[in-house]
Amino acid sequence: MKFFVDTADVAAIKELNDLGMVDGVTTNPSLIMKSGRDILEVTKEICDIVSGPVSAEVVATDAKDMIEEGLKLAKIAPNIAIKVPLTWDGLTACKAFASEGHMVNVTLCFSVSQAILAAKAGATFISPFIGRLDDINLDGMQLIDDIRTVYDNYDYKTEILAASIRSTNHIAECGRIGADVITAPPAVIKSMVKHPLTDQGLAQFMADWAKTGQKIV
Ligand code: G3P
């Protein structure tokens, strides 16, 4: 299971990358806004840290301008995955980028039908949004499961990049279903370490150890 970090926070990326937790990074216009940084500068900095795919998103809405923006973003580094929205123009741009050998992440996917179109347009990654479906009382995880089934039925090579992940349960469930990649905020990835029984067990071990009066070093 590959871990992408869903952020443009360079310090957070570096911390997780140093621990071997980062297989790639995803950004979007909202995350760039949150970083307060210039998109070209911050994306270059991220690409210098992470060797895996780094998604950088176009903001044009028509295919011609998306292609122009995407090609500029792709020049930042060889590991850029150009991110396009799941619209007809986005799919047109996806096909153009894929034909030229660029990695493409098709984002804002909310249905199996959309995921099929992205695979046929040559997407490297499809990004179904789990949390935002859950937000409107639909079942985000079911979408991951359904896309997995359909992609496997036809041996589509597009990787399922589960996005809009809000909890450690989302990550565990994606692993069970077989999503190829998850992208999650740094805080969610770091919270995977937490378990109350770990804390409780450690406290007990420390209390008992103190009673022995021993030292290891
Ligand atoms: O990268 C896009 C996606 O992960 C956004 O997540 O929490 O804003 O729905 P969220």
Side-chain angles (χ1 to χ4, degrees), residues 27-107:
T27 64
N28 61 40
S30 305
L31 293 170
I32 297 293
M33 184 270 293
K34 215 168 148 189
S35 77
R37 303 276 313 272
D38 173 84
I39 183 170
L40 299 178
E41 280 175 23
V42 74
T43 308
K44 169 84 178 84
E45 225 172 283
I46 294 168
C47 289
D48 287 344
I49 297 168
V50 175
S51 56
V54 174
S55 290
E57 188 162 343
V58 301
V59 290
T61 51
D62 68 286
K64 186 176 156 290
D65 292 341
M66 280 183 190
I67 291 170
E68 194 183 344
E69 288 180 356
L71 293 178
K72 184 165 180 181
L73 293 170
K75 283 203 182 89
I76 296 172
N79 54 331
I80 287 287
I82 306 165
K83 202 171 179 188
V84 298
L86 218 159
T87 59
W88 206 252
D89 284 276
L91 294 174
T92 306
C94 173
K95 183 71 185 162
F97 294 139
S99 307
E100 288 186 23
H102 294 291
M103 288 188 284
V104 190
N105 177 358
V106 179
T107 190

Side-chain angles (χ1 to χ4, degrees), residues 13 84-85 94-95 139 153-154 161 166 192 204:
I13 292 167
V84 298
C94 173
K95 183 71 185 162
D139 189 343
N153 283 347
Y154 297 99
L161 196 177
R166 309 274 175 77
M192 290 171 77
Q204 183 67 56

